[in-house]
Amino acid sequence: MAVGACCTEIQQRRVELVENYSEHLTRLLDILFNVGAVTEEDLSLIRGSAVRGERECMRLLLDVLNGRGEESCRAFLYILQSVQGETTKPEQAKKQEHLKKHKDILARQHSLVDYLSIRGHNLGQDETWYLTDITFSRQAGYALPSQCRHESAGVGDAFRTRTDEICVFRDLYENLLSKLSSGVNMLSGVAGSGKTTVVRRLVREWAAENTSSKIVLSLSFRELNLITQEQSLQDLLSDHYIHLKPFLHELLSSNPPKFLLILDGLDEFCYPLNFEHTPKCSNPERVQPIQSIVVNLIKGILLPGVSIFLTSRPHAVSKVPPVLVSQFYSLLGFSLAQQKQYFEQNCSSPEAAAAVWASVSSHKPLLLMCHIPAFCWIVSTALHDGGSCLCPDSVSAKSGEKGVLENANQPNSSLGPSEVLLSSKPVTITEIYCCFVKSIVLFHVQGRSEGSHHTRLQHAPHVLGEMQPILKSLGAMAFKGLLERRFIFESSDLSSFNLDSTKISQVFLFEILKEDRASLTFEKGFHFIHTSVQEFLAALYYVLQSLSGSDPFLGLKPSTGQYLQSAFKQMASAFNKFGKPRRLFRRRIKKALRCGVQHQSGHMDLFSRFVCGLLVPRTRLILNGFFPDGPKMHLLRCQPSPDPTPPFLLHLLHSQLQSSTLSPERQVNVCHCLYEAQDPGLSQRLQDWMKVLSQQAPGQSGSLNRDWSELAFLLQLSSDVQVLNLDAQGLDADGLRRLLPVLPLFSTLSLGQNPLGSEGASVLSLVLRNPDCRIQRLWVVATGLGCEGLKILVEALKENHTVTDLRMAINKIGDDGAGYLAELLRTNCTLTDIRLRDNLVTDKGAEVLMAALKENTTLEYLWMFDNKFTKDGVKKLKEFAKTRPNLDIKVCV
Ligand SMILES: Nc1ncnc2c1ncn2[C@@H]1O[C@H](COP(=O)(O)OP(=O)(O)OP(=O)(O)O)[C@@H](O)[C@H]1O
């Protein structure tokens, strides 16, 4: 083929083009791509070599153009002219243009489309509309958290401390982008709580704004992991932001406070951070290891005055010493109102949203998990369309499309008295995840338009059977990742599990497995949309293998070729024949549960819960067609499978619970496992708890060692307990914190004779401020509140509108405490009854209270026996009482 004139010109001018135009590479690539002279693959290839520098990229571009032929070369030469024109513009204007381009590029890199596009939203300009506002807490600095449980357990108010304040995205945004902001601002949040979404939103809103004086730079630790050679900060940034290169040196050396540097995902950083012994380096041009750059940035030695926004999951927060953190934010997740709003924004119709919300709000375990946005997404996918297989009264059924499994999920009458367990909707977390996977396989993979909802449900067993190999391989990879604590997979991982990444892309990408491209190297990486999905698929694989009589650990070996694999299989099945399959099966399940117990970090907690859930035949029915022992078709049309939960599983879990070596956190997880296994004895366990609590004689509290998390869990399952009496149970502030998720839900909370102190009062203040608080009677007699604790309580009561009855005898509140109460009584219109016996209040305190009561008309009882009043004081109080016939004041000397 004859070489055209433009191709030849490019070859002849190669050296000059590299010399003069490398710095315009980004712009050139953008335009060339827009006019179709290069493809997306070309872009990836060229940008992929960015680590070797701009000039190398430019050479590659020239090679690519050569390969693409005359037309592309002509386009390139034409574009050069316009770029040439730009080089003559004045410096300042050029700088502005580069910054504008920087904003555009950053906004594109931080688009929100990944998951929003799944719902088929047409994202116009205002894509943030689809984001639900989320609640944060903020405090100066942070204290090291104790973390031994699955992080998803630590959401909502359970994360809060006494000194923090509540805020929303806007507050965070304004704080970080304010001129005065500097130092390290850290955002901590559990997996899937929305940290990256916050980062994306922040970058996009900044890019759309014209007035901000800050320049945002954003890097993820996932990308920094790929830097294996020593580098300078300046090179790192100019490789990452080629378009800023001409000004970077000047910007970095003249005005670091102008920058907001975002570092996302500290928990994923694979290099150790040594804050004590890393050599100091303040020169951005000096070459050093990547971890030293990070340490020097965080310590404020490199780029002094720069603002850093660091995000991390809670377990990795402590990698940065508390003294270096100026503001600490926690993502508390969605409040109840925000959860509701999420479903309204993300379900296809108001009716669908209402049905999903009705289902979620009636099951406390679901409700608690829905603090986490990623879980809301899973739940809405599961219940919104896939859930109709299980929910006869959900939306699609209402609209006339009855689910095929409609009858298969009659109330689980054999499950025991618990109201929760009797429900006919998917209530266990395992059932939700089964619906999620089924929903994706049925309604998303096959294309939304093919066949009606009803037809697709009818073909579900067939489709699930077909998808089984791919789900199984995905599950094996997920399981291997879990064992190795790996959450990011490379293309080579996929192929070692016989997974074809293009096929996966068509089928699951966005829905289950997300593809990421590191912007430094453009290498592909994959991670499950949420770690809980990884844990579910791992459990699915584990149970499938175990039920098929295969060892789940065998399937993890890298692909060893067809022949060897089948030889392996034959050996395993021969071994199984000799080795009593049932015994082997049980041993394997035991092994899976041990995984959960052994990992103190809690990272296998959900995995073991899912394994338990999937061992329940009724739950497996949702994925009928996937498992080898799938229920026969006739069962789908009549009564549910009569098989109960395997007794050996319940026996195993109960014996784990009895183990004296089990830590409280693991104990709670075993409770969760029992819930997933639909244990009929759970409600009995709650009753046993109640019995123990009611039998506890006062005075023995010191010797008690209760697992309050377990009680909290059991209480979540029961909606009918209104009164929580924990008098004299040795309950301290820490125990109270563990009960936090359920405390607001009782009408009477009796906590007398426990060593709560002012710390406990702080926990109570969170309960009283909770918008869902239902407490009417708060009894905190002899709980060591003191004046300090009372002050905290009073502040919270000023905002609370539910408590009518406050009993707080024997708390040594003194006259100062009486003063705080008086302050409260001036504005509070809810309290009708206050009992203040034996609280060291003197005549002075009584005077203050009487003055305040002149402004209060709602209080009906004020009992103040055994305080330090003089005869004169008592007389005055009695006289005052005569002026208030509707108020019963009781005193004695
Ligand atoms: N404010 C929000 N409104 C709506 N959906 C949200 C919001 N925040 C997060 N999500 C949803 O939750 C998913 C997980 O969010 P994101 O990836 O930001 O979590 P993360 O905390 O960074 O998780 P990880 O620690 O696993 O990296 C998102 O893909 C999105 O579906």
Side-chain angles (χ1 to χ4, degrees):
M1 195 173 69
V3 179
C6 295
C7 286
T8 315
E9 184 182 337
I10 288 182
Q11 277 167 20
Q12 286 168 348
R13 291 177 59 191
R14 188 175 173 90
V15 175
E16 175 239 330
L17 291 173
V18 172
E19 188 62 39
N20 294 337
Y21 292 94
S22 293
E23 67 182 78
H24 302 293
L25 185 78
T26 314
R27 176 136 178 76
L28 283 170
L29 286 179
D30 283 350
I31 306 177
L32 285 169
F33 178 64
N34 284 341
V35 299
V38 292
T39 64
E40 208 171 332
E41 273 170 25
D42 296 334
L43 288 187
S44 301
L45 178 75
I46 296 164
R47 287 177 179 152
S49 63
V51 272
R52 283 181 275 155
E54 272 171 1
R55 295 164 75 93
E56 193 52 40
C57 292
M58 188 65 182
R59 287 189 195 105
L60 204 55
L61 170 64
L62 298 181
D63 293 341
V64 165
L65 289 168
N66 220 358
R68 291 254 158 247
E70 183 65 9
E71 274 312 304
S72 295
C73 290
R74 182 171 302 117
F76 174 73
L77 291 173
Y78 181 77
I79 291 161
L80 274 192
Q81 293 166 11
S82 64
V83 173
Q84 226 160 11
E86 282 173 17
T87 55
T88 55
K89 284 185 187 164
E91 272 307 288
Q92 195 52 31
K94 256 176 27 188
K95 209 186 271 180
Q96 283 312 320
E97 212 163 283
H98 276 81
L99 285 177
K100 168 82 184 67
K101 189 198 281 179
H102 177 61
K103 286 190 165 183
D104 292 346
I105 289 175
L106 232 63
R108 219 177 314 136
Q109 281 175 355
H110 290 75
S111 69
L112 299 165
V113 291
D114 58 346
Y115 77 97
L116 292 169
S117 57
I118 303 166
R119 278 270 170 256
H121 286 317
N122 180 13
L123 296 173
Q125 301 232 304
D126 194 14
E127 60 191 31
T128 48
W129 188 86
Y130 295 101
L131 290 179
T132 311
D133 218 340
I134 198 158
T135 314
F136 301 82
S137 72
R138 174 171 58 189
Q139 59 176 318
Y142 80 97
L144 293 176
S146 67
Q147 282 289 330
C148 310
R149 55 184 167 164
H150 197 280
E151 290 187 347
S152 59
V155 290
D157 277 342
F159 259 177
R160 293 183 57 194
T161 65
R162 184 177 152 183
T163 47
D164 56 5
E165 72 181 274
I166 292 296
C167 56
V168 288
F169 174 80
R170 258 297 103 197
D171 304 314
L172 174 102
Y173 179 87
E174 274 160 20
N175 184 19
L176 288 177
L177 289 167
S178 96
K179 268 191 193 144
L180 303 174
S181 145
S182 68
V184 177
N185 293 274
M186 195 183 248
L187 173 67
S188 163
V190 299
S193 59
K195 299 177 293 296
T196 305
T197 309
V198 167
V199 166
R200 290 182 178 188
R201 184 171 174 191
L202 191 134
V203 169
R204 292 185 67 79
E205 294 200 7
W206 164 78
E209 194 189 297
N210 290 324
T211 52
S212 174
S213 59
K214 292 256 182 201
I215 301 172
V216 173
L217 300 172
S218 172
L219 296 168
S220 75
F221 280 100
R222 197 177 288 175
E223 291 174 311
L224 299 185
N225 283 341
L226 302 169
I227 299 172
T228 48
Q229 287 176 351
E230 297 199 354
Q231 215 178 10
S232 72
L233 175 66
Q234 190 166 313
D235 285 347
L236 168 71
L237 292 175
S238 46
D239 284 346
H240 200 85
Y241 298 113
I242 299 171
H243 52 277
L244 284 184
K245 194 169 180 179
F247 309 101
L248 207 55
H249 171 75
E250 186 197 327
L251 280 170
L252 290 181
S253 49
S254 65
N255 201 355
K258 230 179 147 42
F259 288 103
L260 168 64
L261 175 61
I262 301 176
L263 297 169
D264 188 24
L266 175 64
D267 48 289
E268 290 177 25
F269 196 38
C270 62
Y271 298 105
L273 295 177
N274 188 336
F275 282 86
E276 268 182 44
H277 299 115
T278 299
K280 282 185 183 173
C281 171
S282 56
N283 182 358
E285 290 176 42
R286 193 123 119 243
V287 166
Q288 53 182 324
I290 184 65
Q291 63 271 38
S292 305
I293 296 184
V294 173
V295 167
N296 278 303
L297 277 169
I298 292 179
K299 284 177 106 172
I301 298 169
L302 254 182
L303 308 185
V306 70
S307 288
I308 296 181
F309 182 44
L310 205 60
T311 75
S312 173
R313 292 190 187 171
H315 69 85
V317 159
S318 55
K319 284 186 180 180
V320 178
V323 295
L324 297 176
V325 177
S326 50
Q327 291 282 319
F328 186 80
Y329 294 87
S330 289
L331 257 174
L332 300 179
F334 291 148
S335 65
L336 286 189
Q338 287 165 342
Q339 287 175 32
K340 194 160 176 259
Q341 188 191 348
Y342 175 92
F343 294 121
E344 281 160 6
Q345 284 172 332
N346 287 278
C347 288
S348 55
S349 66
E351 293 77 20
V356 171
W357 178 241
S359 197
V360 169
S361 56
S362 56
H363 299 295
K364 287 188 210 159
L366 288 190
L367 203 57
L368 281 180
M369 280 194 84
C370 280
H371 277 299
I372 306 173
F375 190 68
C376 286
W377 149 244
I378 287 163
V379 168
S380 60
T381 308
L383 296 181
H384 163 245
D385 36 24
S388 58
C389 341
L390 283 182
C391 310
D393 55 344
S394 80
V395 193
S396 56
K398 269 186 203 159
S399 61
E401 290 183 319
K402 285 188 183 268
V404 207
L405 293 183
E406 190 166 311
N407 295 323
N409 202 49
Q410 291 301 306
N412 301 328
S413 49
S414 63
L415 289 178
S418 163
E419 174 238 330
V420 172
L421 299 177
L422 282 168
S423 167
S424 65
K425 295 186 178 174
V427 288
T428 67
I429 308 295
T430 316
E431 284 173 345
I432 290 285
Y433 277 71
C434 285
C435 289
F436 172 70
V437 167
K438 183 172 179 174
S439 162
I440 284 172
V441 169
L442 289 190
F443 304 110
H444 299 225
V445 172
Q446 299 228 304
R448 293 181 193 99
S449 51
E450 277 172 38
S452 71
H453 199 90
H454 178 65
T455 334
R456 276 184 268 168
L457 278 174
Q458 258 180 339
H459 293 137
H462 174 69
V463 177
L464 281 163
E466 257 182 16
M467 294 298 290
Q468 196 230 45
I470 198 168
L471 280 170
K472 184 174 149 189
S473 301
L474 216 49
M477 186 176 85
F479 182 50
K480 188 160 187 265
L482 268 193
L483 293 177
E484 295 167 0
R485 300 201 71 161
R486 227 152 48 88
F487 303 98
I488 296 166
F489 303 90
E490 290 160 17
S491 302
S492 57
D493 291 313
L494 263 70
S495 31
S496 75
F497 284 95
N498 292 324
L499 288 164
D500 170 357
S501 69
T502 14
K503 200 162 170 206
I504 292 266
S505 311
Q506 290 156 5
V507 177
F508 289 117
L509 216 66
F510 293 144
E511 313 271 343
I512 286 188
L513 202 61
K514 251 180 22 179
E515 182 186 310
D516 272 334
R517 249 176 217 281
S519 56
L520 280 177
T521 62
F522 286 86
E523 270 178 33
K524 269 188 192 177
F526 299 87
H527 64 94
F528 290 91
I529 191 147
H530 187 225
T531 40
S532 62
V533 173
Q534 182 175 347
E535 288 177 81
F536 177 73
L537 287 176
L540 201 61
Y541 159 78
Y542 197 97
V543 172
L544 176 68
Q545 288 288 89
S546 305
L547 286 172
S548 325
S550 313
D551 183 349
F553 288 87
L554 274 188
L556 302 185
K557 302 269 180 299
S559 181
T560 41
Q562 290 298 325
Y563 171 74
L564 275 182
Q565 263 189 5
S566 69
F568 236 149
K569 253 189 194 161
Q570 277 171 13
M571 265 167 54
S573 74
F575 172 70
N576 286 348
K577 269 182 206 137
F578 288 117
K580 294 224 171 88
R582 195 188 290 181
R583 226 178 37 219
L584 272 176
F585 173 73
R586 289 181 182 183
R587 207 179 295 156
R588 279 169 193 147
I589 298 306
K590 212 167 169 180
K591 207 166 165 185
L593 298 191
R594 235 184 290 132
C595 282
V597 174
Q598 276 167 353
H599 285 83
Q600 284 301 322
S601 66
H603 91 279
M604 297 291 275
D605 278 2
L606 269 181
F607 167 77
S608 47
R609 286 182 215 171
F610 287 137
V611 167
C612 293
L614 287 168
L615 289 176
V616 179
R618 262 181 288 261
T619 303
R620 285 206 300 278
L621 192 67
I622 302 168
L623 293 179
N624 185 32
F626 177 85
F627 288 101
D629 69 336
K632 307 293 168 284
M633 282 308 286
H634 74 271
L635 284 175
L636 305 179
R637 306 195 179 280
C638 53
Q639 287 305 303
S641 158
D643 299 343
T645 306
F648 89 90
L649 176 65
L650 297 180
H651 179 73
L652 202 67
L653 291 169
H654 282 291
S655 57
Q656 273 191 354
L657 264 188
Q658 249 102 64
S659 155
S660 56
T661 54
L662 203 64
S663 69
E665 284 79 13
R666 302 280 71 75
Q667 214 168 3
V668 175
N669 195 49
V670 178
C671 288
H672 277 284
C673 288
L674 282 167
Y675 180 75
E676 295 301 316
Q678 306 192 5
D679 174 25
L682 268 182
S683 54
Q684 184 57 43
R685 218 174 149 69
L686 177 62
Q687 279 164 23
D688 292 348
W689 250 101
M690 290 303 177
K691 208 155 45 194
V692 172
L693 292 179
S694 64
Q695 280 166 0
Q696 181 63 45
Q700 290 181 3
S701 51
S703 60
L704 292 175
N705 186 17
R706 300 238 178 275
D707 178 12
W708 301 110
S709 310
E710 188 202 21
L711 178 62
F713 173 80
L714 290 169
L715 287 169
Q716 278 163 31
L717 302 184
S718 153
S719 58
D720 47 2
V721 184
Q722 295 296 317
V723 177
L724 185 62
N725 183 347
L726 297 175
D727 285 351
Q729 298 296 328
L731 177 68
D732 58 9
D734 186 49
L736 202 61
R737 189 177 290 282
R738 285 169 184 249
L739 288 166
L740 227 165
V742 288
L743 291 178
L745 309 177
F746 296 95
S747 57
T748 302
L749 198 55
S750 185
L751 306 171
Q753 301 163 70
N754 285 303
L756 298 183
S758 56
E759 270 299 304
S762 303
V763 181
L764 280 178
S765 74
L766 298 177
V767 179
L768 295 172
R769 285 196 172 103
N770 187 315
D772 306 311
C773 177
R774 295 183 204 152
I775 300 171
Q776 291 168 14
R777 284 163 290 278
L778 179 62
W779 297 344
V780 283
V781 175
T783 47
L785 292 180
C787 170
E788 173 72 4
L790 181 74
K791 185 178 174 195
I792 296 166
L793 219 55
V794 159
E795 286 306 315
L797 282 167
K798 283 182 188 166
E799 294 169 36
N800 172 282
H801 301 291
T802 59
V803 177
T804 55
D805 180 346
L806 178 65
R807 297 192 188 177
M808 41 171 299
I810 324 174
N811 270 304
K812 298 187 179 164
I813 67 164
D815 287 338
D816 287 347
Y820 296 129
L821 261 185
E823 212 182 291
L824 172 69
L825 285 172
R826 286 205 160 88
T827 50
N828 180 288
C829 305
T830 323
L831 280 162
T832 55
D833 190 348
I834 298 181
R835 315 261 168 130
L836 275 181
R837 185 171 62 81
D838 199 354
N839 260 305
L840 309 179
V841 182
T842 69
D843 294 352
K844 196 172 143 206
E847 291 285 348
V848 189
L849 280 170
M850 283 186 289
L853 282 169
K854 286 181 186 147
E855 295 171 43
N856 179 302
T857 51
T858 28
L859 198 69
E860 292 168 17
Y861 301 93
L862 179 63
W863 289 13
M864 299 195 288
F865 297 112
D866 300 332
N867 277 293
K868 302 277 177 196
F869 305 130
T870 61
K871 277 188 183 159
D872 197 32
V874 172
K875 204 169 132 202
K876 278 191 186 161
L877 272 167
K878 286 189 171 164
E879 271 164 23
F880 175 75
K882 282 184 202 152
T883 66
R884 296 290 301 272
N886 296 334
L887 174 60
D888 179 13
I889 298 182
K890 288 235 171 12
V891 274
C892 63
V893 182

